[in-house]
Amino acid sequence: EADDSLLLDYFRSFFAEHRAALGMLGMAEAFTSQSFVAQKIRDQVTRMARQFVPAENLAELGSVLDRLVSEGRTFTADLMGEDVYSRQDANAYTAQVLQLIDAVSGRPKANVSVKPSGLEPNIDSICVDGVRMSAAKERYRIMLRKAIKKHVFLYLDLEDFKMQRFYHRLLRDIWMEPEFRLVQSVGLVLQAEYANADALCTEILEFARDRGTPFTIRLVEGAYHDLEILWALQNGWIVPVSREQGISDVRYERLTRLILENSEVVYGAFATHNPRSALHALLLKQDLKVLDDRFEIQMLYGMGDALGSALIDQAKELGVPKLNLRIYTGYGRIIDSLRYLMRRMQESTAA
């Protein structure tokens, strides 16, 4: 009953300025019971959450991934709730990632995404050397070894700007080690919303040439646009992202060309729900005669289904019989997915 009361109090505070919603809540409580109304709210939240995070555990995830494969899609699987606050948390996250790799292996083009914030607590761009970097590297090596053994592709995502230096230092150091230098089944993330994305892409391409073994760049619009602005203003930093969406869109297409023009050293994965950006990437891929296995489009689970189907049809007309459309599929408890879910709901509302 205490949990029911807390949930309803939170609901009232969230909708404090929406009298219609509060009125409906009051009537529901008057004619039923507090526990009944609270359970209905839980059911609705769960139903909405599962639109974007379709599985809570590995068994449920396996069923979702099998369905995607049967529909001609590929996937990248991601464990929600990756933030860690102690070394024990980081070790537990590593163990869960290893279980995830085991669970998805054997499926076509199996792919897993992991977050640097799960590798070591309290990391940022200041931690480019020292104990925390060493610990994060060792956990990432453990994940890589398992992924290589199981023939699973492994992405390391970039979450926010303050982690950028740490992220690229870790990847460059590990990927140049003799054990991993010849591995192609790895990928990094480049966010087009960052003002330094053009310069960073040039640096990544130079690194790819030095390494001598191709890897994949996942080009994304951006993940934490509003939060990046808020963090910068609160701390007196220069805002690292473009405040106007149009600027990011133009940069995204410019970076798309740069990546595809260098398909001999990097492979391109273009994560977008912008129809123009997706079609631009597909047309440019054909114009530059990029090989099919060096190109893919990525979308989020629960978003862009119609656009994805349209792109597959368009690709066939352009001479690409089987476009690799990869679906980013998160799994985990709803409480661990809240930050991700809030971004998805904001994007759905904006769309």
Side-chain angles (χ1 to χ4, degrees):
E1 292 182 5
D3 289 343
D4 293 340
S5 179
L6 286 173
L7 176 61
L8 292 173
D9 286 345
Y10 178 79
F11 188 88
R12 291 188 189 95
S13 65
F14 189 82
F15 289 99
E17 298 181 3
H18 298 268
R19 294 189 177 183
L22 292 178
M24 291 176 64
L25 177 63
M27 289 179 62
E29 289 185 86
F31 285 98
T32 57
S33 67
Q34 187 178 74
S35 61
F36 178 84
V37 176
Q39 187 57 49
K40 286 299 180 182
I41 292 175
R42 290 189 185 95
D43 292 344
Q44 290 297 325
V45 170
T46 300
R47 188 175 299 111
M48 179 178 60
R50 291 304 171 214
Q51 178 183 347
F52 302 111
V53 182
E56 184 170 354
N57 53 53
L58 288 175
E60 293 177 1
L61 177 67
S63 298
V64 173
L65 300 183
D66 288 340
R67 177 174 57 77
L68 289 174
V69 171
S70 72
E71 294 171 353
R73 271 61 164 169
T74 56
F75 63 85
T76 183
D78 190 8
L79 171 65
M80 300 285 101
E82 64 282 344
D83 288 339
V84 300
Y85 303 98
S86 68
R87 293 275 169 84
Q88 290 79 8
D89 288 345
N91 291 337
Y93 177 72
T94 301
Q96 289 177 300
V97 169
L98 299 184
Q99 293 173 351
L100 173 59
I101 292 170
D102 277 330
V104 305
S105 65
R107 294 178 175 85
K109 300 181 179 179
N111 190 303
V112 164
S113 294
V114 298
K115 302 291 194 297
S117 61
L119 298 177
E120 175 73 4
N122 303 316
I123 55 175
D124 55 31
S125 288
I126 298 175
C127 308
V128 292
D129 292 299
V131 174
R132 281 185 283 179
M133 173 63 86
S134 297
K137 284 181 177 179
E138 187 52 36
R139 292 189 182 94
Y140 181 55
R141 289 188 190 100
I142 292 170
M143 296 176 185
L144 270 179
R145 291 179 185 126
K146 169 69 82 168
I148 293 167
K149 180 180 179 180
K150 292 292 185 175
H151 306 288
V152 173
F153 188 104
L154 192 65
Y155 271 111
L156 188 65
D157 288 343
L158 175 61
E159 295 160 287
D160 53 63
F161 186 79
K162 68 179 184 292
M163 201 177 290
Q164 195 178 84
R165 288 181 63 237
F166 170 90
Y167 174 83
H168 287 283
R169 175 67 177 273
L170 181 147
L171 286 182
R172 294 179 191 209
D173 287 355
I174 297 293
W175 290 1
M176 288 297 279
E177 292 178 356
E179 181 179 0
F180 304 112
R181 186 164 183 170
L182 298 180
V183 176
Q184 293 189 29
S185 55
V186 290
L188 56 78
V189 171
L190 179 62
Q191 295 184 354
E193 69 177 359
Y194 289 148
N196 71 337
D198 293 279
L200 189 56
C201 187
T202 299
E203 292 178 13
I204 293 170
L205 293 173
E206 291 174 356
F207 167 67
R209 293 188 184 91
D210 290 342
R211 183 174 186 251
T213 304
F215 54 84
T216 298
I217 299 176
R218 174 198 278 161
L219 182 63
V220 303
E221 299 278 0
Y224 297 96
H225 181 271
D226 292 343
L227 282 177
E228 293 281 13
I229 295 175
L230 182 61
W231 287 330
L233 294 177
Q234 286 180 337
N235 291 280
W237 302 334
I238 296 174
V239 176
V241 298
S242 301
R243 299 202 187 201
E244 296 182 20
Q245 183 61 46
I247 295 175
S248 295
D249 291 341
V250 170
R251 186 183 294 120
Y252 188 97
E253 295 186 7
R254 185 166 63 241
L255 292 170
T256 296
R257 174 175 286 277
L258 187 58
I259 292 168
L260 291 176
E261 286 177 340
N262 290 275
S263 64
E264 76 281 1
V265 294
V266 293
Y267 303 159
F270 302 96
T272 180
H273 294 93
N274 183 324
R276 174 191 163 104
S277 297
L279 185 58
H280 170 263
L282 181 57
L283 292 171
L284 195 55
K285 177 256 185 211
Q286 289 300 89
D287 185 51
L288 295 173
K289 297 181 172 56
V290 175
L291 298 177
D292 290 352
D293 62 358
R294 299 187 176 195
F295 175 92
E296 65 182 48
I297 297 291
Q298 296 189 3
M299 294 184 177
L300 300 169
Y301 188 95
M303 299 181 66
D305 293 345
L307 175 59
S309 298
L311 283 171
I312 290 174
D313 293 339
Q314 183 66 56
K316 291 177 181 178
E317 294 182 12
L318 294 172
V320 183
K322 191 170 179 57
L323 173 67
N324 186 15
L325 179 63
R326 189 175 303 280
I327 307 301
Y328 177 96
T329 309
Y331 84 99
R333 299 182 307 164
I334 293 176
I335 190 67
D336 295 325
S337 311
L338 290 179
R339 186 166 61 171
Y340 177 81
L341 290 169
M342 288 302 296
R343 295 202 308 275
R344 300 293 78 80
M345 286 187 283
Q346 286 175 346
E347 291 165 357
S348 295
T349 303

